[in-house]
Amino acid sequence: MLDSMLFVLMFVVVVGIFSQWLAWRIRMPAIVLMSIVGLLIGPILGLVNPQESLGELFSPLISLAVAIILFEGSLNLDFREVRSFSKPLTRIVTLGAFIAWIAGSLAAHYIAGLSVAVAFVIGGLFIVTGPTVILPLLRQAKLKSRTAAILKWEGIVVDPFGALLAVFAFEAIKFINGDESFTSFLLFFTGSIFAGGLGWLFGWVLGKMFEKGQIPEYLKAPVVFAVVLLVFVFSDVIMHETGLLAVTAMGITMANMHIASINDMRHFKENISVLLVSSIFVMLTASLDPSILLEIFNPQIVLFVLAMLFIVRPLSIWLSTIGTDLMNNEKILIGWIAPRGIVALTVSGYFATVLQESGYEDAEMLTALTFALVFATVIFHGFSIGWVAKKLKLVATEKPGVLIVGGNAFTAELALSLLNEKMDVLVVDNSWEQLRYARKLGVPTYAGDILSEQTEYSLDLAPFPKMIAATEMDAYNALICSNFVVELGRDALYQTASSNVSESEYHPSIGGKILFNSSANIYDLTELVLKGFVIRKTNITEQYDYNQYLDARAKDSTLLYILRADGTLKFFTTKMELSANPGDLVVSLTPPTHILESNNDNTSPSKG
């Protein structure tokens, strides 16, 4: 075994990040691969045991990582977004979470055999579903928007509060059992209020400093990182176990201040938290004792996992949504999909230590119990969500929705033409100003970086199986297409021609398909629209075939796409020769004065 502390830290970080990358490449939930890799290097092959190698540093590192992970979750809890959803969501994250806590705790006590205290603590923690695992599943399944929104926001809203509920359950059980006096119990609640106030104060002060420009750009991420650690440790020193509440309150406060530079904090989250999630998860699984690993197959644990899957989750959803407008098929799917993720496993490790130190010896099986639930839910839900959604007819429409990255006059007109054909369309750009063309035409828009992890939390990409990168930065277009190859496939990724790279110099392995023709870069296309060129649509019929259309069209027009009679969307590219059949619709960018020698030109200039 390699016992060097420096080697173990390096090895865990490298293996964790490699697992994330490999999961991205093969389109699997990263948590599955991290579980497998952690088990291989730890209890199976015995290469490393982080808990033994790090010694007394192991628990503090886990605790600090959990604090940052919970801050990450709470930083996404913008109440404006939550309020915009319907009644079922509110019921699920309140009454549903409470029912899941009670039912899960009873299952842990009566089925898994845990003591009441340990059962109610772990039952509180298991209400979380976690955005780190639910979002990849939603992209994979392409659910209808309402169902996807409920699952996504349940994960974001409930995720930060699972650990807090576990803390309160732990203190309440100790008081009921007489392990603490009423004064001690009251002191804990006082400390909790103090922790919440401390988190709010630091979050508000830091947010104001961001707003007033009192922190330079290069220091924003380090300052946030430092303050999160300060708030967690200071609160935990004042009253043990309240640090998690403090950092959660801090994150919620900053999320709802709607700070203009909030993306800087999310940039911090996307770098530090991904590293921590990868490393800590591998550390925990690699530290599992082989006997605990074997304990996963204990009949009591297996029955508990089955109860959580088939009784607790469906029961909480069905009871909490009585009287709402949620359809039965939606209840079935939501009641089935509840993958637990990194927060559940890391926080359970934290509480396993705390509970054992308090004399609850059965808490030693918490890690095995949690790992069994996490792995089972990720595997079962990950591989079944698409099939179940199709059976329940909850898959998004088969119409080929298109997400267009890049706000300008041309993309706005292109999006409007697709929107008029009843397709899902969205124009995304970093700049709110650049989206003015699309907003003027009534085209849906989103201001933000498509490559930002935050976009995954706030934007449902499921309705858009095709993507066009049409910004004014050629390298950025290629980067976007490369980033989404694994999720969408290269055949669904397009980019406009480069303004400074010839077609012969273009490398298809680092970008998407080149749209239209090699000379139609985004600058030229935008200029044509501003000069008055319009998007026209022409029906191909038996009497007026595709060859006649090509002969009649203006020579300086640009062929854009063909909408097949069966609803299939095909874009013209430099590498593909398309042909239209009777019943198809051919769309092109045409001079405004040109009139086809046919009555099949069925669309007027799309100026909204």
Side-chain angles (χ1 to χ4, degrees), residues 341-540:
I342 186 67
V343 170
L345 192 60
T346 52
V347 177
S348 72
Y350 171 79
F351 277 109
T353 302
V354 171
L355 287 164
Q356 287 184 73
E357 290 175 352
S358 300
Y360 296 94
E361 296 181 359
D362 57 327
E364 66 179 2
M365 70 180 295
L366 285 189
T367 302
L369 190 73
T370 309
F371 182 81
L373 183 63
V374 167
F375 201 75
T377 54
V378 170
I379 293 293
F380 293 155
H381 297 161
F383 288 107
S384 68
I385 184 172
W387 180 82
V388 173
K390 288 181 180 178
K391 291 296 181 181
L392 296 174
K393 299 182 179 179
L394 288 174
V395 177
T397 176
E398 296 299 324
K399 278 189 174 293
V402 182
L403 189 146
I404 303 174
V405 184
N408 49 65
F410 170 73
T411 57
E413 293 290 348
L414 177 63
L416 180 61
S417 72
L418 294 167
L419 192 65
N420 288 338
E421 297 302 322
K422 310 301 181 183
M423 297 184 197
D424 290 320
V425 181
L426 184 69
V427 179
V428 178
D429 197 285
N430 277 324
S431 170
W432 175 259
E433 175 64 18
Q434 286 295 102
L435 293 171
R436 67 186 185 278
Y437 301 101
R439 292 198 303 272
K440 182 179 179 181
L441 297 179
V443 173
T445 62
Y446 176 84
D449 185 358
I450 191 62
L451 297 181
S452 169
E453 184 185 352
Q454 174 57 27
T455 301
E456 296 185 7
Y457 289 91
S458 54
L459 187 62
D460 181 15
L461 300 180
F464 309 107
K466 294 181 182 292
M467 181 179 293
I468 294 174
T471 73
E472 296 177 352
M473 296 177 287
D474 298 328
Y476 185 58
N477 292 339
L479 180 62
I480 291 170
C481 293
S482 298
N483 188 75
F484 283 91
V485 164
V486 174
E487 294 181 34
L488 300 180
R490 197 171 297 278
D491 288 342
L493 294 166
Y494 306 88
Q495 66 184 90
T496 49
S498 174
S499 57
N500 52 24
V501 177
S502 66
E503 184 177 357
S504 61
E505 296 176 300
Y506 170 70
H507 297 282
S509 63
I510 58 173
K513 295 181 178 180
I514 301 299
L515 282 171
F516 316 135
N517 59 70
S518 58
S519 62
N521 63 66
I522 194 60
Y523 295 99
D524 293 339
L525 291 169
T526 301
E527 183 179 359
L528 290 176
V529 171
L530 295 177
K531 283 182 178 180
F533 275 57
V534 295
I535 292 180
R536 294 189 183 277
K537 303 175 182 179
T538 304
N539 287 314
I540 302 301

Side-chain angles (χ1 to χ4, degrees), residues 142-154:
K142 296 180 173 58
L143 303 181
K144 289 185 177 179
S145 58
R146 185 169 81 155
T147 309
I150 291 175
L151 285 169
K152 178 180 71 173
W153 282 100
E154 181 198 8

Side-chain angles (χ1 to χ4, degrees), residues 18 84 114 124 139 197 236 240 245 352 371 396 461 496 503 558 582-583 607:
F18 173 76
S84 67
L114 297 177
R139 288 198 302 269
D236 210 59
H240 189 49
L245 173 59
F371 182 81
L461 300 180
T496 49
E503 184 177 357
T558 302
K607 293 297 181 183

Side-chain angles (χ1 to χ4, degrees), residues 63-234:
S63 299
L64 292 176
V66 170
I68 294 171
I69 292 168
L70 285 179
F71 175 77
E72 168 197 346
S74 58
L75 192 61
N76 289 284
L77 191 56
D78 187 338
F79 289 122
R80 294 181 306 177
E81 301 286 346
V82 175
R83 291 194 209 100
S84 67
F85 294 113
S86 58
K87 182 180 177 181
L89 176 62
T90 304
R91 296 278 294 276
I92 288 172
V93 301
T94 53
L95 179 60
F98 177 77
I99 295 172
W101 174 40
I102 300 300
S105 301
L106 293 175
H109 177 59
Y110 290 104
I111 298 177
L114 297 177
S115 63
V116 173
V118 177
F120 272 83
V121 169
I122 202 65
L125 179 59
F126 284 163
I127 68 170
V128 304
T129 54
T132 56
V133 285
I134 193 66
L135 291 177
L137 298 188
L138 294 179
R139 288 198 302 269
Q140 167 193 333
K142 296 180 173 58
L143 303 181
K144 289 185 177 179
S145 58
R146 185 169 81 155
T147 309
I150 291 175
L151 285 169
K152 178 180 71 173
W153 282 100
E154 181 198 8
I156 294 175
V157 172
V158 176
D159 197 56
F161 294 104
L164 304 182
L165 183 56
V167 171
F168 283 114
F170 177 51
E171 293 298 324
I173 290 296
K174 286 199 297 183
F175 170 68
I176 293 172
N177 289 342
D179 296 331
E180 284 189 354
S181 65
F182 179 75
T183 302
S184 299
F185 190 51
L186 185 62
L187 185 62
F188 171 76
F189 275 95
T190 303
S192 299
I193 294 173
F194 170 79
L198 183 71
W200 172 84
L201 177 62
F202 273 87
W204 183 83
V205 170
L206 189 59
K208 288 297 181 184
M209 294 178 69
F210 270 66
E211 285 182 337
K212 295 179 181 179
Q214 295 177 348
I215 300 176
E217 291 295 324
Y218 75 96
L219 277 181
K220 285 183 177 179
V223 166
V224 172
F225 178 74
V227 172
V228 169
L229 298 183
L230 169 66
V231 169
F232 173 76
V233 174
F234 184 67

Side-chain angles (χ1 to χ4, degrees), residues 221-339:
V223 166
V224 172
F225 178 74
V227 172
V228 169
L229 298 183
L230 169 66
V231 169
F232 173 76
V233 174
F234 184 67
S235 178
D236 210 59
V237 168
I238 298 298
M239 176 58 66
H240 189 49
E241 299 162 15
T242 60
L244 299 177
L245 173 59
V247 296
T248 302
M250 177 181 167
I252 292 174
T253 300
M254 297 184 74
N256 288 278
M257 290 179 71
H258 311 132
I259 305 166
S261 57
I262 190 70
N263 287 331
D264 295 296
M265 287 173 281
R266 286 166 180 161
H267 179 70
F268 144 79
K269 170 183 67 94
E270 292 168 15
N271 287 274
I272 301 298
S273 295
V274 167
L275 180 65
L276 288 175
V277 165
S278 306
S279 304
I280 298 303
F281 197 91
V282 171
M283 284 176 63
L284 286 168
T285 52
S287 298
L288 282 175
D289 189 278
S291 62
I292 295 179
L293 186 60
L294 293 175
E295 187 69 16
I296 291 175
F297 301 99
N298 184 315
Q300 286 181 302
I301 292 182
V302 173
L303 288 175
F304 170 76
V305 170
L306 293 176
M308 293 293 290
L309 289 173
F310 296 103
I311 299 176
V312 174
R313 173 65 176 181
L315 182 68
S316 66
I317 296 301
W318 280 83
L319 291 180
S320 64
T321 55
I322 293 174
T324 68
D325 60 349
L326 210 61
M327 304 297 291
N328 287 338
N329 58 343
E330 293 175 311
K331 291 182 181 181
I332 293 172
L333 183 63
I334 296 172
W336 168 240
I337 301 300

